[in-house]
Amino acid sequence: MNGSASNSSARVGLALSAALVSTLLCTPATAAAGLAAPEADGKGPGMALTTPAHGQRACPVVYFDLGETLVHTADDGSTTYLPGAASYLRTLRERHIKVGLITNVPPSWGATDAERAARLRTEVDATWRGPTAFAWADFGDRIRTPRTEAERKPSPVLWQRALEDSAGCRVVYQAETAQEVSVACSLGFVSYQVGLPRRPAFLPAGLVELLGRRLA
């Protein structure tokens, strides 16, 4: 592929990615400053992704809700990955994109996030029936859970704590409920509602990478 064709392909990729941003993502007005719509070669409107908002650095962190976003609990109580979730997490891992969970669990499960996360893992693993074990190691210490009933989602507290722990990286949130997507969006997350028809099951990993880059 020659340089001209390569550049053209890159522009098309950016245009498609930005189109996804504008039509599929919840982005607050402040985050929208990170999206620009210049002319592409003078041939009509183009789209490009620019510097992340709020001074966020090029190191995106993708947070998820857990139930009915990554995993499904059947009527018999068994738990499995939702379709595409295991491969999506694997793709993010291969691209060295950090992931985390923001999920409601009983505050009585522990005094710290680590304790409550350990109990969550025990509960999920006890009912797991999928052929592939849940990728707990991918999430590290990025599992945010409520310390009190008042902190349970849709309270903004868990998202705020995730933001504080993000070290200035751009943060993404993916969940199945419009309410959670809206709250996360209002706090500065790039938010994506999963499970909707005629949309990718999850925010494409390539777009997550673009969201974290500083593009001229």
Side-chain angles (χ1 to χ4, degrees), residues 51-197:
T51 305
H54 304 305
Q56 293 172 321
R57 297 188 292 110
C59 49
V61 182
V62 182
Y63 281 92
F64 299 89
D65 180 38
L66 182 60
E68 304 311 316
T69 296
L70 292 176
V71 305
H72 170 68
T73 300
D75 291 341
D76 64 1
S78 63
T79 308
T80 59
Y81 274 119
L82 280 167
S87 60
Y88 182 66
L89 288 176
R90 183 170 60 250
T91 297
L92 294 179
R93 180 167 63 249
E94 291 169 350
R95 294 177 183 235
H96 306 290
I97 295 172
K98 294 179 180 180
V99 297
L101 292 175
I102 298 176
T103 186
N104 284 337
V105 303
S108 60
W109 278 8
T112 66
D113 274 327
E115 290 179 2
R116 292 186 294 273
R119 174 67 182 274
L120 174 63
R121 177 172 182 169
T122 297
E123 295 290 330
V124 172
D125 288 352
T127 60
W128 194 260
R129 298 293 182 270
T132 303
F134 188 75
W136 292 107
D138 290 4
F139 297 89
D141 60 358
R142 294 176 297 276
I143 300 179
R144 300 292 164 259
T145 54
R147 295 168 292 196
T148 65
E149 288 296 323
E151 287 189 0
R152 292 176 65 87
K153 296 181 295 181
S155 163
V157 172
L158 298 185
W159 289 287
Q160 290 168 339
R161 287 170 54 200
L163 279 172
E164 291 167 359
D165 296 336
S166 69
C169 295
R170 167 160 276 178
V171 283
V172 176
Y173 182 68
Q174 303 191 55
E176 85 284 6
T177 61
Q179 182 183 36
E180 290 193 8
V181 165
S182 178
V183 174
C185 175
S186 71
L187 294 170
F189 285 76
V190 174
S191 300
Y192 185 79
Q193 187 173 354
V194 306
L196 296 181

Side-chain angles (χ1 to χ4, degrees), residues 21 26-37 48-54 170 188-190:
V21 171
C26 168
T27 50
T30 48
L35 305 177
L49 296 173
T50 58
T51 305
H54 304 305
R170 167 160 276 178
F189 285 76
V190 174

